[in-house]
Amino acid sequence: MSQSSVPDDWKAISDVKKKALSDSIPPEWRIPSNILPPDTQLDVTSFPVKSGWFSEQELEITAATASSILENVHTWKWSAQDVTKAFCKRAAATHQLTNCLSETLFSSALSRARELDDHLAKTGSVVGPLHGLPISLKDNFNIIGTDSTVGFAHWVNKPATHNSALVDQLQDAGAVFYVKTNVPTAMMIAETVNNVFGRTTNPLNRNLTSGGSSGGESALIAFGGSVLGVGTDIVGSLRIPASLTGIFALRPSFGRFPTRGAASALAGQEAVHSVNGPMARGIGEIELFAKTVVGLRPWERDPKCVPLPWRSVNVGPKLKLGVMWDDGMVRPTPPIQRALKEVVEKLRKAGHEIVDWAPELHEEALGILVSTHRFQHGRARIDRACRFRDPILDLLQYRRPTDPREQLKFFTADGGKSLKAILDPVHEPVRPEMAAYNNTAELGVHALWQLQMQRSTVCHKYLGRCREAGIDGILCATTPFAGVEHGKFKHVAYTGVFNILDYAAISFPCGANVDQALDRASDGSSPLSDVDRQVQADYDASAVHGMPMSLQLVAGRLEEEKVIEMTKVVLKAL
C-alpha cells in the first residue's frame, strides 16, 4: 500500500476527541471573546486578576494554599462546592489559554463536592484529611469511566475499568478530582505534545514549553488552575516541567507512593521505575501530599510500596551540601549559572557548608539510559574527576554506536514493539521527537542484564561517594534552562541520573528571574560536548527574560522527609 493511500484513522479520532474536550467546557466558563488575550500576549498569568471575569471569592479561593482551603472548608467558611467550582472555572480558563487538559470531570467533581458538604453537615466530621480539596491528575492516572489516552489516538474512547491505587487512596482521603492534564506521547518527551491534543504552552510565556511529561500539570498549576497536582517521573517528568514554570515538585524514591494501576505505554519496563509525585506552588502542599499519602499506609494497596511510615526528621540548623556547577556534559545556561552562584552565596552567608561536587559517575549513569557518544568532548574532564573506572562502561559509552540497540537502551529494549502495538492499529505516526523508537532493534535478555548490572554498580559507587563526603544533599540545576522555546529542549541528565540512582529530589524556584541584561550568552568557553554547543547556541536571553529560575535539591534514597526539610532550610536562607 502506498503511503498516500494509508488511511489516517488517527486524525479523525483525534479531531473528535479534541472537539469533545472543548465541548465539555460549559458556556459560563468560556472566556468571552472581548476579553480573551490575543495570541501575541505571551504571559497570561495576570488574566484572572486583571480580566474582571473572576469573582473576588473565586480569586481568593484559587490563590489560597491547600492548608487554608482545607481549614476554610472544614470550618464552613467555604463550601466544598464553592471551592470546586472556582477551580473548575480557572482550570477551564487555563486550558483555553494553554491547551493543558486532556479530560474534564466537572460534573462528577461538583457532585462529589456536594456529597462531601452533605456529609460534613450531617455528621460534623470530615471524611478524611483532604476533605474538599480539588486535586488535578496527570492523564495516565486511571479513573473508572474516563480515558487515559497518554497521547495515543488508539486509546481514545477506551475508558478505564479500574482506578489507579493512588486515585482510590486520595479519594478515600476526601479529595475531589476535577481535571486530568495533557502529556506527551507515551510520556517519553521532555515537552508536552502529542498527536491527539497537540502542544501545551507555558502560561508565563506561551512561546516557551511547559516541559514534560507532566507539562499539562505544570501549566495548570502555574496559572493557578490547581493548588495541588500529581504527576509522574521516569527521567525528570516531574522536575523538568516544574522548573520551567517556577513551581515545586517532589520526585520520590520508588516504593514511597503507590504506582499500581496507572496507564503506561511501556508497561512491564521496570529497569528504571516510574514514580508518582506532587506538584504545587509551595513546599507546604508538597509536604501535605507526602505526609497524607504515606499516612494512609499505601503498602496495604500496592505491594510494591515500602512499609515505611512518615518520619520526623531534624536536619539541624546547618547543612553540608555539595554543589554541582555542571554535570560534565552540558553547562547550565547563564541564568541557571547565576542562580547557582547566588543561592550558594546566600547559603554560605547563612552559615551552611558548601563544597564542590564533581560530576563523577554522571556520564556513566546517563549512558545506562541513552547512548552518550554525543558527550565525547567531555570525556577527559570526567576521567580526571573519576576515581572509579569500569572498562565495560567505557566501551559502551565512548565509542560511536553503530548498533541501533544502543540508542535508548532500557526504554527501547523491546525494539519499540510496545509503542508500535499502540500506534499501528490506527496508523498513527511516530512523532519526530521519538524517532529513536522507530529505528531500534530488540536488546536481548543478556544485554539487558548487563545494563542492569552496570546500573547497580553505579548506584553502589555513588552511595560510597556520598557517604565518604558526609554531605546532606546535592544542589544543582534541574535542567540547563530557565525557559526554552518549543522544540528546543535538550539534555535530561540533570534529572535522569537521579532516577537511575532512585534518589529523592525536589525542584524548587529560587526566587529570582531571568534578566537579559545580566544573563547574556556565555563568552565562548569551550563546549563540554556537541549537545552543550547546541544548547548554548540556542540560548536567547531576550526569549526567556523574566522567567523564574529553579534549582534541584537531592537527598538519598527514601529520604523524602529529609529533602523536604532541607528545602525549607534553603528557602529560609533565600
Side-chain angles (χ1 to χ4, degrees):
M1 183 181 292
S2 68
Q3 186 66 35
S4 61
S5 63
V6 174
D8 292 326
D9 299 355
W10 68 273
K11 288 185 178 179
I13 294 170
S14 298
D15 288 345
V16 171
K17 181 66 175 178
K18 281 187 286 190
K19 185 177 186 305
L21 176 61
S22 177
D23 290 348
S24 71
I25 298 175
E28 63 270 24
W29 293 341
R30 294 181 181 275
I31 301 174
S33 58
N34 63 315
I35 61 170
L36 182 70
D39 291 342
T40 53
Q41 182 179 333
L42 302 183
D43 184 350
V44 292
T45 54
S46 64
F47 171 78
V49 172
K50 293 184 176 180
S51 66
W53 191 51
F54 289 84
S55 69
E56 288 188 13
Q57 185 185 53
E58 288 169 341
L59 291 173
E60 183 183 8
I61 288 172
T62 53
T65 64
S67 58
S68 294
I69 292 171
L70 290 170
E71 180 181 357
N72 286 328
V73 169
H74 299 176
T75 58
W76 280 109
K77 179 181 178 182
W78 297 333
S79 70
Q81 293 173 79
D82 287 340
V83 170
T84 299
K85 189 176 295 184
F87 276 103
C88 286
K89 179 178 178 180
R90 192 147 176 168
T94 317
H95 179 68
Q96 292 169 74
L97 296 174
T98 68
N99 192 42
C100 64
L101 302 183
S102 60
E103 301 287 336
T104 62
L105 312 169
F106 298 148
S107 179
S108 61
L110 290 170
S111 295
R112 163 75 165 165
R114 190 177 308 112
E115 292 171 1
L116 292 171
D117 285 337
D118 290 345
H119 177 90
L120 183 58
K122 291 176 182 177
T123 67
S125 61
V126 297
V127 302
L130 302 179
H131 181 111
L133 185 69
I135 293 181
S136 52
L137 297 173
K138 188 174 180 176
D139 183 70
N140 66 306
F141 288 100
N142 282 320
I143 298 176
I144 293 173
T146 303
D147 280 355
S148 296
T149 69
V150 194
F152 290 111
H154 186 43
W155 284 0
V156 169
N157 295 329
K158 291 181 172 60
T161 57
H162 66 276
N163 287 339
S164 298
L166 184 65
V167 168
D168 280 335
Q169 192 170 35
L170 294 175
Q171 189 163 269
D172 288 349
V176 178
F177 305 125
Y178 63 113
V179 289
K180 293 175 68 176
T181 52
N182 198 23
V183 300
T185 304
M187 303 184 294
M188 292 303 294
I189 307 172
E191 302 186 27
T192 295
V193 59
N194 60 64
N195 291 330
V196 177
F197 300 106
R199 185 180 293 277
T200 297
T201 60
N202 191 325
L204 297 164
N205 183 331
R206 292 190 288 178
N207 279 344
L208 307 180
T209 180
S210 61
S213 63
S214 305
E217 279 297 324
S218 66
L220 180 68
I221 294 167
F223 188 82
S226 174
V227 68
L228 176 60
V230 190
T232 64
D233 194 310
I234 196 168
V235 290
S237 293
L238 283 161
R239 292 158 290 160
I240 290 170
S243 73
L244 296 177
T245 53
I247 65 173
F248 292 80
L250 166 66
R251 186 267 174 206
S253 296
F254 180 72
R256 208 68 205 276
F257 305 148
T259 58
R260 183 182 59 79
S264 172
L266 303 179
Q269 187 289 120
E270 297 189 357
V272 180
H273 288 289
S274 178
V275 295
N276 305 332
M279 306 173 75
R281 288 170 289 179
I283 191 65
E285 284 76 15
I286 301 297
E287 184 175 27
L288 171 68
F289 175 93
K291 290 179 70 173
T292 300
V293 171
V294 172
L296 293 170
R297 303 171 66 87
W299 51 88
E300 295 179 353
R301 295 177 184 264
D302 186 341
K304 292 188 176 180
C305 276
V306 179
L308 181 62
W310 193 256
R311 300 158 293 181
S312 177
V313 173
N314 182 4
V315 297
K318 305 300 178 185
L319 299 174
K320 181 179 180 181
L321 298 175
V323 58
M324 188 174 74
W325 300 102
D326 63 65
D327 67 357
M329 295 170 276
V330 173
R331 288 189 181 92
T333 53
I336 302 303
Q337 292 183 33
R338 176 167 65 88
L340 270 171
K341 291 175 183 177
E342 291 180 353
V343 169
V344 165
E345 182 180 344
K346 290 177 181 179
L347 288 172
R348 282 179 170 151
K349 187 176 181 180
H352 300 288
E353 183 180 359
I354 309 297
V355 298
D356 287 344
W357 187 254
E360 180 181 323
L361 297 171
H362 278 247
E363 188 164 356
E364 284 84 344
L366 183 65
I368 295 169
L369 285 174
V370 296
S371 293
T372 57
H373 66 278
R374 296 167 298 174
F375 307 115
Q376 57 190 337
H377 299 302
R379 182 183 180 187
R381 180 177 179 186
I382 293 291
D383 286 351
R384 288 194 297 270
C386 286
R387 293 172 294 163
F388 306 102
R389 298 300 308 280
D390 188 321
I392 297 177
L393 286 174
D394 282 351
L395 176 65
L396 188 61
Q397 293 169 32
Y398 294 125
R399 65 180 173 85
R400 185 178 185 87
T402 56
D403 189 332
R405 292 177 297 179
E406 294 184 27
Q407 306 249 333
L408 286 172
K409 296 183 179 176
F410 280 144
F411 304 130
T412 57
D414 69 341
K417 290 180 180 177
S418 297
L419 192 68
K420 185 178 176 64
I422 305 170
L423 296 172
D424 284 359
V426 294
H427 312 287
E428 182 177 350
V430 175
R431 285 202 58 85
E433 301 90 345
M434 301 183 70
Y437 287 81
N438 210 21
N439 181 32
T440 185
E442 196 161 352
L443 188 60
V445 173
H446 176 71
L448 180 60
W449 288 355
Q450 297 306 301
L451 280 177
Q452 292 177 163
M453 182 175 66
Q454 293 161 14
R455 176 200 59 199
S456 297
T457 299
V458 168
C459 290
H460 173 70
K461 291 177 179 179
Y462 211 98
L463 175 62
R465 283 194 69 205
C466 293
R467 290 175 63 86
E468 182 179 338
I471 58 173
D472 293 307
I474 299 167
L475 177 69
C476 62
T478 310
T479 82
F481 313 100
V484 62
E485 294 159 286
H486 298 298
K488 292 186 177 181
F489 188 95
K490 298 176 181 67
H491 198 61
V492 297
Y494 282 99
T495 51
V497 165
F498 297 113
N499 290 79
I500 285 285
L501 299 171
D502 197 25
Y503 285 1
I506 284 180
S507 181
F508 66 96
C510 60
N513 298 77
V514 180
D515 185 331
Q516 61 183 333
L518 297 176
D519 301 316
R520 296 189 182 94
S522 58
D523 56 5
S525 301
S526 297
L528 300 178
S529 66
D530 292 339
V531 178
D532 186 33
R533 180 183 289 107
Q534 188 62 55
V535 166
Q536 304 308 327
D538 285 346
Y539 172 69
D540 179 354
S542 63
V544 296
H545 178 71
M547 292 299 290
M549 303 189 299
S550 294
L551 298 175
Q552 181 176 208
L553 195 58
V554 184
R557 186 170 178 270
L558 297 172
E559 290 189 337
E560 290 72 28
E561 299 93 338
K562 183 178 179 180
V563 78
I564 288 173
E565 290 303 315
M566 288 197 302
T567 303
K568 292 180 187 177
V569 172
V570 170
L571 292 174
K572 184 177 180 181
L574 300 185

